[in-house]
Amino acid sequence: MPHKQQSGRAFASDNWAGVHPEVLAAMAAANVGHVPSYGADPYTRDAIARISDELGGDAQVFLVFSGTAANVLCLQSMVRSHQGVICAETAHVHTSECGAAEKHIGCKLLPVPSPQGKITVAGIREHLRHVGNEHHVQPRAITITQATEYGTVYTPQEIRAIADFAHANSLLLHMDGARIFNAAVTLNVPLKAITSGAGVDALSFGGTKNGLVAGEAVVFFKLALADDFEFKRMQGMQLSSKMRFIAAQFSALLTNDLWKRSATHANRLAKMLAAELAGIKGVTLTQEVQANEVFVTLPREIIPKLQEQWPFTVWTEATSEVRLITSFDTAEADVTDFVRLVRDAMGTREK
Amino acid sequence: MPHKQQSGRAFASDNWAGVHPEVLAAMAAANVGHVPSYGADPYTRDAIARISDELGGDAQVFLVFSGTAANVLCLQSMVRSHQGVICAETAHVHTSECGAAEKHIGCKLLPVPSPQGKITVAGIREHLRHVGNEHHVQPRAITITQATEYGTVYTPQEIRAIADFAHANSLLLHMDGARIFNAAVTLNVPLKAITSGAGVDALSFGGTKNGLVAGEAVVFFKLALADDFEFKRMQGMQLSSKMRFIAAQFSALLTNDLWKRSATHANRLAKMLAAELAGIKGVTLTQEVQANEVFVTLPREIIPKLQEQWPFTVWTEATSEVRLITSFDTAEADVTDFVRLVRDAMGTREK
Amino acid sequence: MPHKQQSGRAFASDNWAGVHPEVLAAMAAANVGHVPSYGADPYTRDAIARISDELGGDAQVFLVFSGTAANVLCLQSMVRSHQGVICAETAHVHTSECGAAEKHIGCKLLPVPSPQGKITVAGIREHLRHVGNEHHVQPRAITITQATEYGTVYTPQEIRAIADFAHANSLLLHMDGARIFNAAVTLNVPLKAITSGAGVDALSFGGTKNGLVAGEAVVFFKLALADDFEFKRMQGMQLSSKMRFIAAQFSALLTNDLWKRSATHANRLAKMLAAELAGIKGVTLTQEVQANEVFVTLPREIIPKLQEQWPFTVWTEATSEVRLITSFDTAEADVTDFVRLVRDAMGTREK
Amino acid sequence: MPHKQQSGRAFASDNWAGVHPEVLAAMAAANVGHVPSYGADPYTRDAIARISDELGGDAQVFLVFSGTAANVLCLQSMVRSHQGVICAETAHVHTSECGAAEKHIGCKLLPVPSPQGKITVAGIREHLRHVGNEHHVQPRAITITQATEYGTVYTPQEIRAIADFAHANSLLLHMDGARIFNAAVTLNVPLKAITSGAGVDALSFGGTKNGLVAGEAVVFFKLALADDFEFKRMQGMQLSSKMRFIAAQFSALLTNDLWKRSATHANRLAKMLAAELAGIKGVTLTQEVQANEVFVTLPREIIPKLQEQWPFTVWTEATSEVRLITSFDTAEADVTDFVRLVRDAMGTREK
């Protein structure tokens, strides 16, 4: 962890941010009396109803603690150990979850090149060459990330194309929606247009990166995938005993368009940041900014000093490409301050 | 889930209770600015220091979401899949975690009879008959629960006896401390007297049942067990991205003796409840009340009506033994109301 | 391993015996030219057809290396990790396979008391109390051993009763048939009468203990259990590349009633041994002899000397109960020699 | 399985061949009397001593059934689930074992480009970028295949370079020696020169592909890796009850240089086959022939007809590259017959 947090502001990740005040208030409001544990309470019923409504109406919804868990438990419901999950080579579940899927499911991930974070039917098809051969892991699911790890976004049509290919080939489609809100506001479509309406079978519905303390949902649109899920969640160590407090967070996020307000703000600041940086000579945008992430190359020598004041991640050492993330609580002043610092560093450098 | 929650009060479990107000306040206080994610933040450092100090000073501490996870990840650090964990036949990890340990570790649990919830060296020894024989799972760890699932408590001497036997036989000792605070106040000893000071090697340090939203700690007193634990936690889907909010809860619990105030209260109410119930003809205490749990047999026919108003669990169908649990927020009026209801039901019955 | 093998004869186990000459001859006969690997060869087709015919005609059959593997892969096809397998507390898969089922399936075994090696519907029913409760492992399969680890035998009616109970309760029935041939000759019924005809869903069909080098079959009577089994076998490290040589062994066993000749012989010698020993004062039979195993208590002090010449296993230290096993190649002289030795030891002792 | 086996001769794989007569004879010779099961017998002691001597004198040796199992159990002893195994992207354990390593160990395989089947230090180093970061699988072992899946061979110097890099970076080196004999005769070095003498820590020592029925050995040169291996083998379903018969096969292979005679023959026939094919216009060798495998591109349209008479595998559909494997029992006439057939097919085609 090379970051030296100084100012209490950062572009390191949307999980460096805290909690939206409306979310904390909802938790406090739920802190009344005794209610049944493990989710048999009215708060959880409310959250599930809101999530289901928002996503398409006929979904099975389960609350869990973490995004990694949502991904792994979704996929556990979709594949057996001898089956494989086709994913982007940049997928979080493949690169950044310490092998949780392999450990918990015993399965293999089958990566597809994804220079802009997205995968296509052509890439997926490469993994179908050995179907039926007992020596080879059998593809059974595809996972895509929305928005992707590069801050790019799948259109509803792109998702539908992958879903149709999947279903025509006895595959299931999972979406890692850790930043699904950011994608939806970019596309200006309802959440259901990029999930149930586009053929997605299972969704990791992420709240934490959009202002919750900790709260993710496993959502099944293909309802048979939910069979026995209560047991998988419990055995998977993701059953919250005081579930009302995860539920209250989600209900807040889905009340008065909080999710939309927060994601819209984060996206807007990301675009502002990108636009400002793109105007600086020596800084190059490497990915289209479609959500709340900005990827740029910077001169290697100025990075450490910038990080001291504004922690962020170096994404690709070789090209000194860095990742900057905005969140619901990023201020315009943060952007202008950071951009000024970059300009100064560039100027100093040129002299 | 047979409970029909009416009054917002229950004796069903300490996780039907909400969150202590000091805990929620601490979370709000931690909601300031950006801090590093995944625990590299000052709130987490503070919580870890407090936990380590309270438990013995030289411990490795890791925060996780759930008590099942704390148990399973502790044990994963202690045994390999071909090894076994000796436990009470009533142990939560054996009976009530849906096989999470077997799934995650691939190991076998080796139960010991435990009529009062506790196990003894004699019972443990029975499982050592096949040491060295490749056909048999090899015992490697012992787990005890403090307070036990029957609300009984191990004395420091009892723990030490088991620890000494364990270490003399190349075994490690784990404690499931889901209700460790209740045990400590009963024994009137500091937490370290029943953990590091009594030979415990690893501890699941439970906060949720004593007034947190969700927060447990994995604590290693035998420091080598902590090797690579960061990776196990991440792969085990228990790494909180906004960890400061688990940390803040623990820090609150360990500030101004909140843990002691809450556990003392719950225990006192349990003793009061037990004493009142024991005075009713036809009601029999089945376990000594040493923490915040009361086990009594009731006439079978009065149970459903009682549960309607005061949800609780039938523990043993055959004997109509029920379990009543108090918590930090149980009121004296709850006890007197419930006892009156029992008396009334007994009276009606006798007529 | 306390045995000091002297004479090349033993009552230690049927796997101390070698290979039946007809089996070795069949392997040599199959050693001709090139054939497809991994079972796509005529020898394997022949063995599968013979096994299927013998067991009931409409079965899915897969050859594997070991009996532990047959058990584990059968059960893997029957239960998911959050489900449980009800078994005798004496079941080999529970006591003597080093936790292979827990490791490979991640499931829990749910033991039932079995003083004569057998389990009953009453014992099984005890494990159904928590069906539907997410905190508890969900029973999904029952496994019985035929003949049992105590050398006792389930009648077709007993198997049928368990099967009917299983199917009425959404459970599946597995049989560990490591010594199924010994059971069939005792009962004087065809193999199908105690398998497909009695409601068994999956069978570990054991060859090794009846004169093969190494050869077991996984047999599914409930055909849906065979779905994707080729992949499970491969991933389970049990796919023999030169499978024709396992196949040839099974074909030999099922040719000219070799299985019946061998099992009949072993059973007859066990009964002879039991009868002779029972006539010795101070020796007590502890189990009915229904297959090729004899359980007797002997004076503790004579055991080591007997074992020096005739290796066998002490089954229960506390009662000095020992287990004696006969095999296809046990000679009548072995029995008379051993019995004489016991008599001598008893006599010496009494003086 | 597209092969239509006609003649009883093939170039499909060395496991389409049968068993060397000296091996079958040794099994028959071991079929005498009773010996302890599970490897506590003199035959197993003899085989282990021979293997240890041949490989370097101070090794821990364990016999198992299958090559996949040898690989997986070796690696299980080297890595924990949160660790990774660096391998060639063409490695059998990565591509052709149906995810057995992921399932059994729960770990991740980390592939390195390997156009000639071999990996280099430069490729390995790419996977070390995230050492110490809890979000990423931690590399802990490297596996190389000797001879490789492309029939190429690592020199002792190449192995030593990888071993030195491994050990300097806290990594362990495993060798999949499924065709190690073919490599040794090509290099004209003793087996120890490419194993213990070159820094290998653990070896899958393959017998099956060189004329055994079924027999592989797990060999540890770094002796601490053998700790508790007996239990891992048993739990991994790879403990043969009548182990003397695997042992006898290995002893035969290591007697009178049988391994060398067989591998030398297979290699010589492969070179002969390659030389003949290379002389045909329109046929191109794609890999150097250093063991018993020949890779060539053939005109796509002649392949099916060739396969009808001489089964073999199409390796790369896109380029119509095929793989031809010779074995201990390939005859010179096989080569000349096949080459004539290819010539005829090419000629017919040209007309």
Side-chain angles (χ1 to χ4, degrees):
Chain A
M1 184 63 66
H3 302 302
K4 193 163 124 207
Q5 212 276 339
Q6 303 259 6
S7 61
R9 310 302 302 167
F11 293 108
S13 182
D14 22 21
N15 52 37
W16 284 48
V19 182
H20 196 284
E22 297 176 28
V23 170
L24 269 189
M27 293 178 75
N31 193 26
V32 178
H34 287 190
V35 302
S37 50
Y38 301 115
D41 68 86
Y43 302 96
T44 302
R45 278 193 292 277
D46 179 71
I48 287 175
R50 285 173 189 271
I51 293 170
S52 192
D53 282 357
E54 197 77 59
L55 291 172
D58 189 21
Q60 286 284 321
V61 178
F62 303 88
L63 306 182
V64 299
F65 294 112
S66 93
T68 292
N71 284 341
V72 170
L73 294 179
C74 275
L75 293 173
Q76 184 194 7
S77 298
M78 302 170 90
V79 306
R80 303 293 302 258
S81 61
H82 64 278
Q83 297 174 326
V85 178
I86 297 171
C87 64
E89 65 182 358
T90 47
H92 200 263
V93 69
H94 182 52
T95 67
S96 307
E97 299 183 357
C98 201
E102 289 90 342
K103 161 70 177 161
H104 199 70
I105 311 173
C107 70
K108 200 177 185 80
L109 301 192
L110 305 168
V112 169
S114 52
Q116 281 81 45
K118 298 200 277 185
I119 60 175
T120 62
V121 164
I124 293 164
R125 191 182 279 120
E126 284 297 300
H127 283 292
L128 303 186
R129 280 173 299 166
H130 297 299
V131 168
N133 181 327
E134 71 198 326
H135 295 275
H136 298 276
V137 164
Q138 299 293 297
R140 174 67 176 142
I142 301 166
T143 181
I144 59 176
T145 310
Q146 176 79 316
T148 74
E149 290 76 8
Y150 273 129
T152 54
V153 168
Y154 288 93
T155 65
Q157 295 73 27
E158 288 172 326
I159 299 167
R160 168 56 69 190
I162 293 174
D164 287 349
F165 179 81
H167 300 150
N169 288 277
S170 301
L171 302 172
L172 297 163
L173 179 58
H174 168 255
M175 176 178 283
D176 176 351
R179 294 190 181 95
I180 191 171
F181 300 111
N182 304 92
V185 300
T186 290
L187 295 165
N188 195 24
V189 296
L191 291 165
K192 66 186 69 170
I194 50 175
T195 55
S196 63
V200 170
D201 297 303
L203 169 70
S204 301
F205 188 55
T208 312
K209 285 189 163 66
N210 201 17
L212 304 195
V213 173
E216 309 280 322
V218 164
V219 183
F220 295 114
F221 302 109
K222 185 181 173 68
L223 302 183
L225 295 176
D227 287 352
D228 279 358
F229 189 81
E230 293 89 342
F231 301 98
K232 291 173 191 156
R233 177 173 59 180
M234 175 64 218
Q235 193 180 49
M237 311 182 293
Q238 288 291 322
L239 180 62
S240 176
S241 60
K242 297 181 179 174
M243 200 183 288
R244 59 169 137 164
F245 295 104
I246 299 181
Q249 296 177 63
F250 264 113
S251 290
L253 193 64
L254 301 181
T255 296
N256 295 333
D257 277 348
L258 174 57
W259 69 264
K260 201 176 288 184
R261 286 180 276 140
S262 289
T264 301
H265 175 85
N267 283 12
R268 185 173 65 81
L269 275 283
K271 280 194 185 296
M272 177 183 161
L273 177 60
E276 294 278 350
L277 289 174
I280 301 174
K281 196 182 157 197
V283 178
T284 307
L285 278 176
T286 58
Q287 297 287 346
E288 189 176 354
V289 177
Q290 298 184 303
N292 62 326
E293 301 185 81
V294 178
F295 288 79
V296 292
T297 53
L298 294 175
R300 188 179 313 275
E301 63 273 26
I302 73 167
I303 292 175
K305 199 171 141 196
L306 292 174
Q307 284 179 314
E308 270 181 36
Q309 291 190 43
W310 292 92
F312 58 81
T313 298
V314 174
W315 193 255
T316 313
E317 275 291 348
T319 58
S320 69
E321 180 189 43
V322 309
R323 186 191 68 172
L324 305 165
I325 302 189
T326 57
S327 57
F328 75 89
D329 67 348
T330 303
E332 293 198 9
D334 294 341
V335 171
T336 52
D337 284 2
F338 178 72
V339 169
R340 182 182 319 118
L341 202 68
V342 176
R343 281 191 198 280
D344 289 352
M346 299 296 288
T348 306
R349 173 179 163 264
E350 276 156 14
K351 280 162 200 165
Chain B
M1 183 66 65
H3 302 302
K4 192 162 125 209
Q5 212 275 337
Q6 304 259 8
S7 61
R9 310 302 302 168
F11 293 108
S13 183
D14 22 21
N15 52 36
W16 283 48
V19 181
H20 196 283
E22 295 176 30
V23 171
L24 269 189
M27 293 177 75
N31 193 27
V32 178
H34 287 190
V35 302
S37 50
Y38 301 115
D41 67 86
Y43 302 97
T44 302
R45 278 192 292 279
D46 179 71
I48 287 175
R50 285 174 189 270
I51 293 170
S52 192
D53 281 356
E54 198 78 59
L55 292 172
D58 190 20
Q60 286 283 321
V61 178
F62 303 88
L63 306 182
V64 299
F65 293 113
S66 93
T68 292
N71 284 341
V72 170
L73 294 179
C74 275
L75 293 173
Q76 184 193 8
S77 297
M78 302 170 90
V79 306
R80 303 292 301 258
S81 62
H82 64 277
Q83 296 175 325
V85 178
I86 298 171
C87 64
E89 64 182 358
T90 47
H92 199 264
V93 69
H94 182 52
T95 67
S96 307
E97 299 182 357
C98 200
E102 288 89 343
K103 161 70 176 160
H104 198 71
I105 310 173
C107 71
K108 199 176 185 81
L109 301 192
L110 304 168
V112 169
S114 53
Q116 280 81 45
K118 298 199 277 185
I119 59 175
T120 63
V121 164
I124 294 164
R125 190 183 280 120
E126 284 297 302
H127 282 292
L128 303 186
R129 280 173 298 168
H130 297 297
V131 169
N133 181 328
E134 71 198 326
H135 295 274
H136 299 275
V137 164
Q138 300 293 296
R140 175 66 177 143
I142 301 167
T143 181
I144 59 177
T145 310
Q146 176 79 318
T148 73
E149 290 77 8
Y150 273 130
T152 54
V153 168
Y154 289 92
T155 66
Q157 295 73 26
E158 288 172 326
I159 300 167
R160 169 55 69 190
I162 293 173
D164 287 349
F165 178 81
H167 300 149
N169 288 279
S170 300
L171 302 172
L172 296 163
L173 179 57
H174 169 255
M175 176 179 282
D176 176 350
R179 294 190 180 94
I180 191 172
F181 301 112
N182 303 92
V185 300
T186 289
L187 295 165
N188 196 24
V189 296
L191 290 165
K192 64 187 70 170
I194 50 176
T195 54
S196 63
V200 171
D201 297 303
L203 169 69
S204 301
F205 188 55
T208 312
K209 287 189 161 66
N210 201 17
L212 303 196
V213 173
E216 310 279 322
V218 164
V219 183
F220 295 115
F221 302 109
K222 185 182 173 69
L223 301 183
L225 296 175
D227 287 353
D228 279 358
F229 189 81
E230 293 89 343
F231 302 97
K232 291 173 191 156
R233 178 174 58 180
M234 175 64 218
Q235 193 179 48
M237 312 183 292
Q238 289 291 321
L239 180 61
S240 176
S241 60
K242 297 182 179 173
M243 200 183 290
R244 59 169 138 166
F245 295 104
I246 299 181
Q249 296 177 61
F250 263 113
S251 290
L253 192 64
L254 301 181
T255 295
N256 295 332
D257 277 349
L258 174 57
W259 70 264
K260 201 177 287 184
R261 286 180 276 139
S262 289
T264 301
H265 175 85
N267 283 11
R268 185 174 64 81
L269 275 282
K271 280 193 186 298
M272 177 183 162
L273 177 60
E276 295 278 350
L277 289 174
I280 301 174
K281 196 182 156 197
V283 179
T284 307
L285 277 176
T286 57
Q287 297 287 346
E288 190 175 353
V289 177
Q290 299 185 304
N292 63 325
E293 302 185 80
V294 178
F295 288 80
V296 292
T297 53
L298 294 175
R300 189 179 312 276
E301 62 273 27
I302 73 168
I303 292 175
K305 198 170 141 197
L306 293 173
Q307 284 179 314
E308 271 180 36
Q309 291 189 44
W310 291 91
F312 58 82
T313 299
V314 175
W315 194 255
T316 313
E317 275 290 350
T319 58
S320 69
E321 180 189 43
V322 309
R323 186 190 70 172
L324 306 165
I325 301 190
T326 57
S327 57
F328 76 89
D329 67 348
T330 303
E332 293 199 8
D334 295 342
V335 170
T336 50
D337 285 3
F338 179 72
V339 168
R340 183 183 319 117
L341 202 69
V342 175
R343 279 191 199 280
D344 289 352
M346 300 295 288
T348 306
R349 172 179 163 262
E350 278 158 11
K351 280 164 203 164
Chain C
M1 183 63 69
H3 303 303
K4 193 162 126 207
Q5 212 276 338
Q6 303 259 6
S7 62
R9 310 302 302 168
F11 292 108
S13 182
D14 23 20
N15 53 35
W16 284 48
V19 182
H20 196 284
E22 295 175 29
V23 170
L24 269 190
M27 292 178 76
N31 192 27
V32 178
H34 288 190
V35 302
S37 50
Y38 301 114
D41 68 86
Y43 301 98
T44 302
R45 279 192 290 278
D46 179 71
I48 286 175
R50 284 175 189 270
I51 292 171
S52 192
D53 283 356
E54 197 77 58
L55 292 173
D58 189 21
Q60 285 284 321
V61 178
F62 302 88
L63 306 182
V64 298
F65 293 115
S66 93
T68 293
N71 284 341
V72 171
L73 294 179
C74 275
L75 294 173
Q76 185 194 7
S77 296
M78 302 170 91
V79 306
R80 302 292 302 258
S81 62
H82 64 278
Q83 298 173 324
V85 178
I86 298 171
C87 64
E89 64 183 358
T90 47
H92 200 264
V93 69
H94 182 53
T95 67
S96 307
E97 299 183 356
C98 201
E102 288 90 343
K103 161 71 176 159
H104 198 71
I105 310 173
C107 69
K108 200 176 185 77
L109 301 191
L110 304 168
V112 170
S114 53
Q116 281 81 46
K118 299 199 276 186
I119 60 175
T120 62
V121 164
I124 294 163
R125 190 182 283 120
E126 284 296 300
H127 281 293
L128 303 187
R129 280 173 299 167
H130 297 299
V131 168
N133 181 327
E134 70 198 326
H135 295 274
H136 299 276
V137 163
Q138 300 294 297
R140 174 66 178 143
I142 302 166
T143 181
I144 58 177
T145 310
Q146 177 79 317
T148 74
E149 290 76 8
Y150 273 130
T152 54
V153 168
Y154 288 93
T155 65
Q157 294 74 26
E158 288 172 326
I159 299 167
R160 168 56 69 188
I162 294 174
D164 286 350
F165 179 81
H167 300 148
N169 288 278
S170 300
L171 302 172
L172 297 163
L173 179 58
H174 169 255
M175 177 178 282
D176 175 351
R179 292 190 181 95
I180 193 174
F181 301 112
N182 303 92
V185 300
T186 289
L187 294 166
N188 196 24
V189 297
L191 291 165
K192 66 187 69 169
I194 49 177
T195 55
S196 62
V200 171
D201 296 303
L203 169 70
S204 300
F205 189 55
T208 312
K209 285 190 162 66
N210 200 17
L212 304 196
V213 173
E216 310 281 322
V218 164
V219 183
F220 294 114
F221 301 110
K222 184 179 174 69
L223 301 184
L225 296 175
D227 287 351
D228 279 358
F229 190 80
E230 294 89 342
F231 301 97
K232 292 173 190 156
R233 178 174 59 180
M234 175 64 217
Q235 193 180 48
M237 312 182 293
Q238 289 290 322
L239 180 61
S240 176
S241 59
K242 296 182 178 173
M243 199 183 290
R244 61 168 137 166
F245 295 105
I246 300 182
Q249 296 176 61
F250 263 113
S251 290
L253 193 64
L254 300 181
T255 296
N256 295 332
D257 277 348
L258 173 57
W259 71 265
K260 200 176 288 184
R261 286 180 277 139
S262 289
T264 302
H265 175 85
N267 283 11
R268 185 173 66 79
L269 274 284
K271 281 194 183 296
M272 178 180 160
L273 177 61
E276 295 277 350
L277 289 174
I280 300 175
K281 196 183 156 196
V283 178
T284 306
L285 277 177
T286 57
Q287 296 287 346
E288 190 175 354
V289 177
Q290 298 184 303
N292 63 326
E293 300 186 81
V294 178
F295 287 80
V296 293
T297 53
L298 294 176
R300 190 179 310 275
E301 63 272 26
I302 73 168
I303 292 175
K305 198 170 142 194
L306 293 174
Q307 283 179 314
E308 273 181 34
Q309 290 189 44
W310 292 91
F312 58 82
T313 298
V314 175
W315 194 254
T316 313
E317 275 291 348
T319 58
S320 70
E321 181 189 41
V322 307
R323 186 190 70 171
L324 305 165
I325 301 188
T326 57
S327 58
F328 76 88
D329 68 347
T330 302
E332 293 198 7
D334 294 342
V335 172
T336 51
D337 284 2
F338 178 72
V339 169
R340 184 182 318 117
L341 201 68
V342 176
R343 281 191 196 282
D344 289 353
M346 299 295 287
T348 305
R349 173 180 162 262
E350 278 156 13
K351 280 162 201 165
Chain D
M1 182 64 70
H3 303 302
K4 193 161 126 207
Q5 211 276 337
Q6 303 259 6
S7 62
R9 310 302 301 168
F11 293 108
S13 182
D14 22 20
N15 54 36
W16 284 48
V19 182
H20 196 285
E22 295 175 30
V23 170
L24 268 189
M27 292 177 76
N31 192 28
V32 178
H34 288 191
V35 301
S37 50
Y38 301 114
D41 68 85
Y43 301 97
T44 302
R45 278 192 291 279
D46 178 71
I48 287 175
R50 285 173 189 270
I51 293 170
S52 192
D53 282 357
E54 197 77 58
L55 291 172
D58 189 21
Q60 286 284 321
V61 178
F62 302 88
L63 305 182
V64 298
F65 293 114
S66 92
T68 293
N71 284 342
V72 171
L73 294 179
C74 275
L75 293 173
Q76 184 194 9
S77 297
M78 303 170 91
V79 306
R80 302 292 301 258
S81 62
H82 63 278
Q83 298 173 325
V85 178
I86 298 171
C87 64
E89 64 183 357
T90 47
H92 199 264
V93 69
H94 182 53
T95 67
S96 307
E97 299 183 356
C98 200
E102 288 89 343
K103 160 71 176 159
H104 199 70
I105 309 173
C107 70
K108 200 176 186 78
L109 301 192
L110 304 168
V112 170
S114 52
Q116 280 80 45
K118 298 199 278 186
I119 61 175
T120 63
V121 164
I124 294 164
R125 190 182 281 120
E126 285 296 301
H127 282 293
L128 303 187
R129 281 174 297 168
H130 297 298
V131 168
N133 181 328
E134 70 199 326
H135 295 274
H136 298 277
V137 163
Q138 299 294 295
R140 175 65 177 144
I142 302 166
T143 181
I144 58 177
T145 309
Q146 177 78 318
T148 74
E149 290 76 8
Y150 274 130
T152 54
V153 168
Y154 288 92
T155 65
Q157 294 74 26
E158 288 172 326
I159 299 167
R160 168 56 69 189
I162 293 174
D164 286 350
F165 179 81
H167 300 149
N169 288 279
S170 301
L171 303 172
L172 298 163
L173 180 57
H174 168 254
M175 177 179 282
D176 175 352
R179 293 190 182 95
I180 192 173
F181 301 113
N182 303 92
V185 301
T186 290
L187 294 165
N188 196 24
V189 297
L191 291 165
K192 66 186 70 169
I194 49 176
T195 55
S196 63
V200 171
D201 296 304
L203 170 70
S204 301
F205 189 55
T208 312
K209 285 190 162 64
N210 200 16
L212 304 196
V213 172
E216 309 281 321
V218 164
V219 183
F220 295 115
F221 302 110
K222 184 180 174 69
L223 301 184
L225 296 175
D227 287 353
D228 279 358
F229 190 81
E230 294 89 343
F231 301 97
K232 292 173 190 156
R233 177 174 60 181
M234 175 63 217
Q235 193 180 49
M237 312 182 292
Q238 289 290 323
L239 180 61
S240 175
S241 60
K242 296 181 178 174
M243 199 183 290
R244 60 168 138 167
F245 295 105
I246 299 182
Q249 296 176 61
F250 262 113
S251 290
L253 193 65
L254 301 181
T255 296
N256 295 331
D257 277 348
L258 173 58
W259 71 265
K260 201 175 287 184
R261 286 180 277 139
S262 288
T264 301
H265 175 86
N267 283 11
R268 185 173 65 80
L269 275 284
K271 281 192 184 296
M272 178 181 160
L273 177 61
E276 296 277 352
L277 289 174
I280 301 174
K281 198 183 154 196
V283 178
T284 307
L285 276 176
T286 57
Q287 296 287 346
E288 190 176 355
V289 177
Q290 297 183 304
N292 63 325
E293 300 186 80
V294 178
F295 287 80
V296 293
T297 53
L298 294 175
R300 190 179 311 275
E301 63 271 27
I302 72 168
I303 291 175
K305 197 169 143 195
L306 292 174
Q307 283 179 315
E308 271 181 36
Q309 291 190 44
W310 291 91
F312 58 82
T313 299
V314 174
W315 194 255
T316 313
E317 275 291 348
T319 58
S320 68
E321 181 189 40
V322 309
R323 186 190 69 172
L324 306 165
I325 301 189
T326 57
S327 58
F328 76 89
D329 68 347
T330 303
E332 293 197 9
D334 294 341
V335 171
T336 51
D337 285 3
F338 178 72
V339 169
R340 184 183 316 117
L341 202 68
V342 176
R343 279 191 197 281
D344 289 353
M346 299 295 288
T348 305
R349 173 180 163 259
E350 278 157 12
K351 280 165 204 164

